[in-house]
Structures are given as C-alpha cells and as structure tokens.
Amino acid sequence: MHSSVFTEDDLNNRNKNKRLENEANLFAGAFLLPKEEFSRDVYSHSLEHFINLKKKWKVSIGAMIKRCEVLGILSENQIKYLTDQINYRGFRKKEPLDDIISIELPLIHRQSINMLLEKNICTTYELLDDLAINSNDIERFCYLEKGTLDTYIGEPQLVEIIDFATKEKKFI
C-alpha cells in the first residue's frame, strides 16, 4: 500500500517503519472490528466480557482492547486495567480460546483454481505459467489437496516457475 510513498531506505528507517506498522495495525483493526458493529458489542470493561467477545469476533483480546482505545470506547483507566489484567494472567503469549477457536482458512483461491481447472478455462500448465510459482507452493498457499496440480491437462509446455523454498527459477 505504501510502495509509491516509501523507498527501500525508508523501510530500514526505524521511525518510518514504525509508522508503516502502525498504519497497517489501524487498517487491520478497522477491517476486522468495524466501528459501529464492534462498538455496540462493547458494554463492559471486564476481561471476561472480552473473552466472550473473542468468541464472536475471533480476534485477539489485545487487538480488541487496542481498537477500543483507538475508537475511544473505553477510558484510559479502563484500558490500563485491562492491559494490567492481561499481563498479570499471562495472556500476552497465550489467550483464552486460542486452542478452541480454529483458524479460518481462506477458500476463495482454492475455489477459483478448482473452477478454472474443472471448467477447462485453463490448463494446469497455463496456470503455473501465469502464476510462475511452484505447484507445491500454490497447493499449500491455496489449501488445495496435495497433488491437485500434478494432473496436467492439455499440451505440455515449458513453464518457468519460482520455488519459494530455494528462490530458484526453473523450468518444468
């Protein structure tokens, strides 16, 4: 998002990098915890309430508290109290429900690739050529079943790919 504003040197600058990270966190907070909907759910400053909110919003308690701070939903004292409780209970490293709430897997990429191949919109070779990524990496990133891209449809072609593990370009 900042490629036109910041240079490579800017990324190595501690102050500018901190600013970038802060902007990314603000964006993530707004995206994951929309102001109006999230604000309606915050009616207590107890840690137990935030544990219950975590069930609904599937976002860390720390992130919700930070969002409350940014939105001005809770007072400075309430934020401090919650932060102290998190530290006291050791929730900085592991929060309640971390073992229960499963990580949601993005499905749109998997569905898109399967549709492209099933409807013969493109061949596996064309897909690999367009993406220029190792088939194992695509399967892993898109949560495809292992071996999905091993079945080649259409005429074999020379395809240049990049292997993320080795950073090598190679042809298959």
Side-chain angles (χ1 to χ4, degrees):
M1 288 173 47
H2 295 96
S3 62
S4 63
V5 180
F6 291 98
T7 66
E8 185 90 25
D9 291 337
D10 290 334
L11 294 176
N12 295 325
N13 179 305
R14 198 177 216 168
N15 290 333
K16 288 185 180 180
N17 203 340
K18 190 168 178 79
R19 181 175 148 219
L20 285 173
E21 188 171 342
N22 188 43
E23 288 176 7
N25 288 336
L26 289 172
F27 174 79
F31 183 76
L32 296 172
L33 302 165
K35 180 180 180 178
E36 290 186 26
E37 293 86 353
F38 179 65
S39 296
R40 281 193 292 265
D41 284 349
V42 179
Y43 53 82
S44 170
H45 69 278
S46 76
L47 194 54
E48 293 304 316
H49 177 63
F50 279 87
I51 292 170
N52 285 325
L53 286 178
K54 183 174 178 171
K55 290 176 191 173
K56 175 181 179 179
W57 290 97
K58 297 180 180 170
V59 173
S60 74
I61 296 166
M64 288 188 285
I65 293 169
K66 183 65 178 173
R67 184 72 173 145
C68 287
E69 181 180 19
V70 167
L71 296 175
I73 295 172
L74 299 177
S75 71
E76 198 174 309
N77 286 339
Q78 291 169 325
I79 298 290
K80 183 177 178 350
Y81 168 78
L82 285 167
T83 303
D84 290 346
Q85 286 295 304
I86 285 173
N87 290 332
Y88 178 74
R89 295 189 190 189
F91 290 171
R92 284 272 177 231
K93 293 184 179 179
K94 185 175 180 188
E95 291 185 354
L97 306 177
D98 282 351
D99 295 338
I100 297 169
I101 297 175
S102 61
I103 296 172
E104 293 185 26
L105 302 178
L107 298 176
I108 193 72
H109 293 111
R110 179 174 71 188
Q111 292 168 337
S112 299
I113 289 174
N114 282 330
M115 183 206 63
L116 289 170
L117 297 174
E118 288 168 8
K119 303 279 185 189
N120 294 320
I121 295 169
C122 69
T123 67
T124 305
Y125 280 112
E126 291 168 333
L127 181 71
L128 293 173
D129 189 38
D130 287 345
L131 295 176
I133 302 174
N134 178 299
S135 61
N136 292 329
D137 290 335
I138 295 170
E139 289 173 353
R140 194 172 73 243
F141 296 145
C142 297
Y143 302 98
L144 293 165
E145 286 186 38
K146 189 161 179 57
T148 298
L149 300 176
D150 290 346
T151 307
Y152 296 110
I153 302 168
E155 288 297 313
Q157 304 168 24
L158 199 56
V159 177
E160 182 182 16
I161 61 157
I162 300 169
D163 188 318
F164 281 145
T166 63
K167 309 240 186 312
E168 292 178 5
K169 286 184 180 182
K170 54 187 174 182
F171 290 91
I172 62 165

